[in-house]
Amino acid sequence: MNTEPYDIDEILRENSRRMQMRRHEGYDPVAGDPDDPDRIMVSVPVSGVGVVCIPKAMKADPDWKSMATCRDFELLRIRHDFEFWAAKCVRIRLKGQGRTGPFILNAPQRRVVRTMEKDRRDGRPIRMVMLKARQWGGSTLVQMYFAWIQIVHRRNWNSLICAHVKDVAADLRGSLHNMLADYPERLWTGTDAPRFQSWQGAGNTREIAGRRCNVTVTSSLGQDATRGMDFSLAHLSEVAYWQTSPKHSPADIIRNISGGIAMVPYTAIVMESTANGVGNFFHSQWMLAEAGRSAYRPVFVPWHEIETYRTPCRDPEALWQSMTPYEKNLWDKGLTLDMIQWYHDKRLEMYSDSAMQSEYPSDPVEAFVNSGASVFESAHIEALRESCSEPLSAIRLAACQHTAGLMATPGPDGELKVWSPPDWDSPHITDRYVVSVDIGGRSRTSDYSVITVFDRMPGGNEGKVEVVAQWRGHADHDLIARYAARVGNAYRRALLVIESNSLESDYNGASDYILEELNESYPNVFVRTRRDSATGASIESRVGFHTNRATKSLIISHLVGLVRDGAYIERDSDACDELATYEFRANGSYAARDGHHDDRLMTRAIGLYVIHTLPKPHICAPSEFISPLRASGDTIFGGLCR
């Protein structure tokens, strides 16, 4: 509930001002939008037309002066004005009304069209990644815009519709079939009547009669049928839900499709999807586009831009007093009371704030929230992500036996990302650095191995623990141990914490020797102790941290608290992605969502938990500092700790 002091009269005055700014609602595509800077108001020199607001490019067209009839004007305007063409030539099924009607673009659709039109008018290929909210017609818009190019602008200009399942792609093509069936013949310029017809007996391809433009449909798992075909337009729908299989991945599919589409005017590739969590291919493409590091323009539509999401506010003071902090923030962002009233009422139907924000996001971060069984809250993850950055350097690790420190010579796999190099200049500090290691599989299709370095006293001062370096890759288990020892050696003989499950279980303990020799050769290895439950006496000590059902619950619960409280500094955005895709399972266990990884996350969970159990670091005399050499050079780790 909002308990801040307020002046309801001032709030109502501000709300009235905001309502006045919403002039775009009630838009008339025939009259044209006078607020569009790419349009100009003109008196049309054709009987029966009058004054309209048309695209500036239409006024500059040489055919402008030769218009003689109303049809001449309409055909010329259709060539330059997609919004006019949609209203005049396209009929769609109107949501919730059980009937068809003219395709009058809503506010989000007009904004998206203007983005595509700018590229088209400037002679650039159209490339867009579109993050969709619910129920505003993004897929319909893309399909009709492509049809406009094929029907009005280009012959022999083939298009592809690829969705996560073929039925969705077929539905999109079905909307084109219905549109052609209702197309006004007086405005058709094809050599044959407007209709879909079969093409060379292909079951998944139809031809737009009179234009020689093909429309092919497929799914993300059946796209081999498109190889060798000539496409100029690609509508890639619900990309976040495209499955990964042994033969295909979303990245492979889109690379094959885009590789066959020339970078020339009037070509287009649009990837669109609702969000399906973070860390997947669609999320990565969105992040690249948003950062300006790809050819694709990012487009997102928030819920409050959709005109149907409004409820008249009959008691503004009651609404104001009942607003949550989130809803008050919506007001501070410029929303009107009728928008917030709709959100307030709709929220009562949802079981949590995160579920509401997932279905009706206000920004892309909310859209990518996984509101199902997430272990970590999205808001906490995003706060943690603010400290992430690109590493200062990336170093190839070598596992040779005779050279100490980090090396820039080739290693089998992976690089050590360094955000902060080891500090050897400040006074000796006990266990300042901790290296946490999660050992995965050997092959490139197995789980990754990760080595993460934590600094317990960043800058030599006590403060939040900070991630300062990380290696991730695939290698044999003995090489992983060598890499870890080399990294630990470089970071002031850091405490080395190895998750020992893989080594202890590998071929019935056949890799135990790796732990034993690591303990003999590296001077600062984490050792766990098992105690007798009755006497408390130590029974045995073993190298490494063992993850089981009990310890995993303990370390994950500890990590949840650290992420919630912002109690450590994360540097790797990919680690934040792993937090966002980490879930509770129905059997009570924790695991990464299918198709995702948790190797970075586990090094954080193990390393930060062990750090929590250690005495605070302190400055010590050089004589107290761990000796850098504790082994002869004849073991597999010899020479790494000199």
Side-chain angles (χ1 to χ4, degrees), residues 2 18 95 138 147 234 318 426 472 512 535 557:
N2 184 16
R18 295 178 184 184
K95 287 186 179 294
S426 62
R472 183 175 189 255
D512 273 353
T535 66
S557 296

Side-chain angles (χ1 to χ4, degrees), residues 210-328:
R211 301 295 301 178
R212 304 194 67 180
C213 292
N214 295 339
V215 179
T216 300
V217 300
T218 189
S219 74
S220 59
L221 293 180
Q223 45 75 48
D224 282 343
T226 66
R227 291 186 183 276
M229 298 187 69
D230 173 30
F231 296 112
S232 299
L233 307 166
H235 179 186
L236 312 176
S237 183
E238 294 298 349
V239 175
Y241 294 87
W242 287 16
Q243 298 179 25
T244 298
S245 72
K247 292 184 177 181
H248 304 299
S249 70
D252 293 337
I253 298 168
I254 291 177
R255 182 179 65 250
N256 291 335
I257 292 171
S258 61
I261 297 179
M263 292 287 288
V264 298
Y266 285 91
T267 63
I269 303 174
V270 176
M271 285 188 283
E272 50 90 351
S273 185
T274 49
N276 185 32
V278 302
N280 53 41
F281 174 79
F282 181 72
H283 177 249
S284 68
Q285 292 304 297
W286 172 264
M287 297 293 284
L288 288 172
E290 200 172 38
R293 294 165 53 197
S294 82
Y296 291 80
R297 292 182 181 271
V299 173
F300 168 71
V301 175
W303 67 268
H304 50 76
E305 195 173 328
I306 303 170
E307 295 154 359
T308 55
Y309 296 159
R310 312 279 191 273
T311 298
C313 182
R314 295 183 173 84
D315 191 342
E317 189 161 11
L319 174 63
W320 189 266
Q321 291 177 344
S322 64
M323 279 186 190
T324 65
Y326 181 87
E327 291 165 348
K328 177 61 169 58

